[in-house]
């Protein structure tokens, strides 16, 4: 069984790997119900019991698929995280348009930003309906990148979540983003249980290690790190690889290939080093990995099982291949 770890003092626990469901909501390409269910089954068989989703992922598709899979499992046996900040409303057009915000094969719905107290409560109620649950373990304020959104989230949405936490409707509160400055600003001003930072603590970009992770450690805030493989480049740094949801620049592909060469000297795939790099930081509670197939689950779990020596990271540091914020 995969080990469980505490989200600090929140009372919520997650497995060391958390399954992110954006790919199962059709991120980059459509996924069938059958393939999505097979991926969930593989994750469950591997011992993963923590699942992260959001209304944004396939405009509700990921939440519905996750809820359908979990319906036959005892509620006490798994942990679910979802997000608030985007309400789903009927699309004005005649039907769904593939590729909106990178998702394919989705329902005919549109996203509307809303970080207000009413918006947060409505978003959570809608998510619970899609998931078929009466509570979730963790709710993350999702992508308040705009300054007005960040202020509304702090002044209105967050107090509503704090009350829901007090009422036992949710277990923990956090913020989930793929940038560093707003989460740092939020952690300094709110009583958060958790931060999910995507793509900003990796072998190619560890900017979260400069301020955000130390701040979370100081304030007792758990950290989940997503984007461990930076959209794929740190699993397979081949020409055409993705970085941060876009085609990777040539210099980053070359940097990743150099990292892969160092890993090969230790008999390790670059993906194992990428995952170990994240989890070796004492401020990090768990890693969130997205997968769209059972084979990808097997690969990620295999990475977790591979011992990665400290000497590998010392060598990467010595040749200038660890980014700022990576530590020693």
């Amino acid at each position: 069984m995969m080990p469980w770890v505490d989200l600090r003092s929140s009372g919520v626990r997650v497995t060391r790997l958390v399954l992110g469901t954006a790919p199962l909501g059709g991120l980059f390409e459509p996924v069938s119900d059958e393939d999505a269910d097979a991926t969930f089954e593989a994750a469950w068989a591997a011992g993963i019991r923590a699942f992260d989703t959001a209304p944004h992922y396939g405009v509700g598709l990921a939440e519905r698929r996750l809820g359908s899979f979990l319906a036959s499992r005892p509620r006490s046996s798994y942990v679910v995280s979802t997000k608030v900040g985007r309400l789903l409303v009927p699309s004005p057009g005649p039907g769904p348009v593939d590729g909106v915000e990178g998702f394919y094969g989705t329902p005919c719905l549109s996203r509307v930003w809303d970080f207000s107290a009413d918006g947060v409560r409505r978003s959570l109620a809608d998510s619970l309906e899609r998931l078929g649950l009466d509570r979730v373990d963790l709710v993350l304020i999702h992508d308040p990148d705009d300054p007005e959104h960040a202020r509304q989230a702090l002044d209105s949405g967050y107090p509503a979540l704090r009350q829901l936490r007090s009422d036992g409707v949710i277990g923990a509160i956090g913020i989930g983003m793929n940038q560093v400055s707003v989460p740092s600003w939020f952690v300094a001003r709110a009583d958060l249980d958790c931060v999910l930072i995507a793509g900003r603590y990796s072998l190619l970009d560890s900017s979260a290690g400069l301020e955000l992770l130390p701040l979370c450690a100081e304030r007792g805030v758990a950290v989940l790190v997503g984007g461990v493989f930076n959209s794929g480049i740190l699993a397979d740094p081949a020409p055409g690889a993705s970085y941060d949801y876009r085609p990777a620049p040539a210099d980053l592909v070359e940097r990743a290939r150099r990292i892969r060469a160092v890993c090969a000297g230790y008999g390790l795939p670059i993906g194992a080093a990428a995952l170990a790099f994240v989890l070796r930081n004492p401020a990090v509670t768990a890693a969130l990995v997205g997968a769209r197939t059972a084979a990808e689950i097997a690969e990620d779990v295999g990475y977790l099982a591979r011992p990665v020596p400290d000497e590998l990271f010392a060598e990467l540091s010595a040749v200038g291949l660890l980014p700022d914020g990576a530590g020693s």
Side-chain angles (χ1 to χ4, degrees):
M1 179 63 71
M2 190 168 293
W4 290 79
V5 286
D6 295 325
L7 287 184
R8 300 290 176 162
S9 59
S10 68
V12 175
R13 309 184 78 209
V14 297
T15 44
R16 193 69 159 146
L17 286 187
V18 178
L19 179 64
T21 62
L24 300 178
L27 182 62
F28 301 136
E29 61 184 86
V31 176
S32 69
D33 289 341
E34 294 76 16
D35 287 346
D37 197 57
T39 305
F40 284 128
E41 289 282 2
W44 192 270
I48 295 174
R49 296 292 186 272
F51 303 88
D52 176 75
T53 190
H56 175 52
Y57 302 158
V59 283
L61 181 60
E63 286 184 319
R64 290 196 182 278
R65 284 174 165 170
L66 176 59
S68 176
F69 171 76
L70 294 174
S72 61
R73 274 78 182 173
R75 181 62 184 90
S76 60
S77 64
Y78 59 82
V79 168
V80 172
S81 163
T82 194
K83 304 182 181 73
V84 294
R86 293 172 174 92
L87 294 173
L88 304 183
V89 300
S91 293
V97 178
D98 263 357
V100 175
E101 301 207 31
F103 288 89
Y104 294 80
T106 66
C108 187
L109 296 168
S110 296
R111 304 161 178 87
V112 176
W113 292 105
D114 194 336
F115 292 93
S116 70
D118 287 345
V120 160
R121 286 189 288 263
R122 177 181 162 191
S123 178
L124 180 58
D126 290 347
S127 289
L128 290 172
E129 187 277 328
R130 287 187 290 267
L131 288 162
L133 299 174
D134 61 2
R135 62 180 175 85
V136 290
D137 304 281
L138 170 64
V139 173
L140 299 165
I141 298 167
H142 198 192
D143 292 341
D145 294 283
D146 182 274
E148 290 186 10
H149 289 164
R151 176 52 66 181
Q152 185 184 46
L154 180 65
D155 292 345
S156 185
Y158 164 69
L161 290 175
R162 189 173 54 197
Q163 184 61 53
L164 290 166
R165 180 177 61 185
S166 178
D167 293 342
V169 178
I170 63 179
I173 303 169
I175 189 167
M177 303 188 72
N178 57 12
Q179 55 126 303
V180 173
S181 61
V182 171
S184 298
W185 177 84
F186 223 99
V187 167
R189 291 164 174 79
D191 177 25
L192 297 183
D193 301 298
C194 180
V195 165
L196 167 58
I197 186 71
R200 304 286 77 86
Y201 193 71
S202 75
L203 282 173
L204 291 176
D205 179 352
S206 58
S207 53
L210 296 171
E211 177 184 0
L212 179 60
L213 266 59
L215 181 61
C216 287
E218 175 187 329
R219 294 181 64 91
V221 177
V223 177
L224 305 178
V225 175
V228 171
F229 309 117
N230 280 137
S231 301
I233 189 173
L234 287 173
D236 181 15
S242 293
Y243 172 78
D244 211 14
Y245 310 109
R246 299 177 181 87
D251 61 322
L252 277 183
V253 174
E254 177 57 27
R255 185 180 186 90
R257 294 177 78 170
R258 291 176 63 198
I259 293 171
R260 181 176 63 181
V262 173
C263 294
Y266 292 81
L268 290 166
I270 186 174
L275 183 57
F277 169 77
V278 166
L279 292 175
R280 72 196 292 264
N281 189 311
V284 174
T285 301
L288 188 150
V289 293
R292 71 180 68 251
T293 66
E296 290 178 9
I297 293 289
E299 189 170 54
D300 293 339
V301 173
Y303 292 154
L304 186 64
R306 299 286 293 268
V308 179
D310 289 342
E311 289 79 8
L312 184 150
F313 298 108
E315 182 172 343
L316 289 174
S317 179
V319 297
L321 287 175
L322 283 187
D324 290 344
S328 58

